Amino acid sequence: MFEKVLIANRGEIALRILRACREMGIRTVAVHSTADTDAMHVRLADEAICIGPAPARDSYLNIQAILTAAAISNADAIHPGYGFLAENADFVAMVEEHGFTFIGPSSEHVRQMGDKITAKRVAREAGIPVVPGSDGPVRNEEEARRFSDDMGYPVLIKATAGGGGRGMKVVNAPNELASALDLTRKEAQAAFGNADVYIEKFLTQPRHIEVQVLADHHGNVVHLGERDCSMQRRHQKLVEEAPSPALNAEQRRDIGNLVTKAIKKIGYRSVGTIEFLFEDGEFYFIEMNTRLQVEHPVTEMICGLDLVREMLRVAAGAPLGFKQEDIRFSGHAIECRINAENPETFLPSPGLVGDYYAPGGLGVRVDSALYSGYRVPPHYDSLIAKLIVHGANRNECLMRLRRALGEYVIDGLETSIPLHQRLVANPEFVNGDYDIGWLEDFTGTND
Ligand code: ADP
């Protein structure tokens, strides 16, 4: 096992990784920007190294500074968390070239899945159903028009290098196609340095259902069930739950088996998530995330595994300690993402945290790096806490979630807690009766 791990991230996920390392007796190195000197991951790590100024491109995205920090601290391995460099194939390759272990998949798999067109091709070849669409980039308007006419409107133009819910445009009718194509290409070039776009059938009322997998270096692959992440705003998830209220036992078993088979075929290792849209009983692959996900705790809560520990074990070359039939799913879990933002306008609300009190009690977990007196910097993602609740069934989980949301005190900032409180009181959410468009209708923020 590793002796020392550098955590190339910040906030709650840096703390989450640090906790797993500490339980395993692994020393930790925190890296941080000048804006994060007082951050919890810096305070709790065995060592901390400042890697640059506040803007992420100068610190958390600064590959050279991170590799230098790993070298001078004598770390064996680097955990990227999510976001920042987690899905940067060049970074993964450089980590390995410099003699450190990357705690995640190989750079080839990260590269392959980071390009959405390639990812769809690989998935299709591995036997996974994909969203109908152009099999490659569309080169011009004429080609785009041909695909769209064939599939029928609405269609979705997607940047092959897109991510984080950005780089997509819905086209409702033929007369919108040319300008949407032009705009998405320009935006994709500016945001991702790659103007390639492709076309997909736009599904109008799907759910977002994703399957968690875990694979080792020895060909062992298991799936850890699904998560339902249909509660989204601007293609960004706000609430996640496991299992999905929309699947029956047979659908659950079938998609789990299908994904496991495909992952074996691809030769992937580490944790990974295959994302699907699910409509009228059919699954359609949209992408694979080659990293730990924000919402991994709901899976941990229903299967009793520590996914970060498993990632560390797999990266160190250990075989999985269990088989598919050893995995027992128990109860229901829901995660609320708590952002520092106005719950109605969604404008960011960084600043000084006053009184802070996190809920607790049976079945309640809070993953957060907040504390009273901490100043949330304006430079990074607005996620400040994840409230994860587990219950014997969905109903108990919801009761507990209402209770826990009511206890949570984060003074000094505007947060999404009031929005979550409205959600857990809504009969449609309570019935599990929602698709990916539901939240935008509910908040009145659909464009
Ligand atoms: P990103 O990498 O930016 O997260 P994804 O491909 O995972 O992009 O899509 C994110 C979200 O966008 C999905 O969860 C879904 O809400 C929406 N979406 C993506 N593709 C489609 C589609 N073909 N039809 C309808 N909605 C889609």
Side-chain angles (χ1 to χ4, degrees), residues 123-124 126-130 211 213 221 223 250-266 274 276 282-285 324:
R124 197 182 319 105
I128 292 183
V130 303
V211 179
V213 293
V221 181
H223 74 81
E250 196 185 345
Q251 290 166 322
R252 177 166 296 120
R253 192 197 54 220
D254 288 353
I255 195 66
N257 290 341
L258 190 77
V259 164
T260 306
K261 237 193 251 159
I263 290 296
K264 262 193 197 146
K265 202 160 174 186
I266 296 168
I274 317 279
F276 295 95
E282 302 288 336
F283 286 96
Y284 303 94
F285 171 90
Q324 188 69 51

Side-chain angles (χ1 to χ4, degrees), residues 116 158 163-165 200-201 203 208 232 235 275 287 436:
K116 293 187 174 192
K158 285 173 100 166
E200 259 178 13
K201 175 84 193 143
L203 304 179
H208 173 117
Q232 304 182 351
H235 309 304
E275 296 193 332
E287 68 163 347
I436 60 168

Side-chain angles (χ1 to χ4, degrees), residues 125-140:
E125 286 168 6
I128 292 183
V130 303
V131 185
S134 62
D135 287 339
V138 285
R139 278 176 295 262
N140 51 42

Side-chain angles (χ1 to χ4, degrees), residues 14-25:
L15 211 52
R16 165 73 190 87
I17 296 160
L18 185 151
R19 285 170 169 154
C21 289
R22 187 145 295 161
E23 288 176 13
M24 296 171 80

Side-chain angles (χ1 to χ4, degrees), residues 231-233 238-239 343-344 346 416-430 434-446:
M231 208 44 103
Q232 304 182 351
R233 199 184 146 266
L238 191 74
V239 178
E344 274 156 31
F346 300 97
S416 25
I417 292 175
L419 172 59
H420 286 298
Q421 287 180 305
R422 282 175 54 216
L423 280 177
V424 293
N426 182 282
E428 284 171 355
F429 179 54
V430 169
Y434 59 92
D435 59 38
I436 60 168
W438 189 90
L439 182 63
E440 294 199 349
D441 288 340
F442 180 71
T443 55
T445 51
N446 45 350

Side-chain angles (χ1 to χ4, degrees), residues 63-74:
I63 295 179
Q64 218 151 29
I66 290 167
L67 292 177
T68 306
I72 60 176
S73 61
N74 241 331

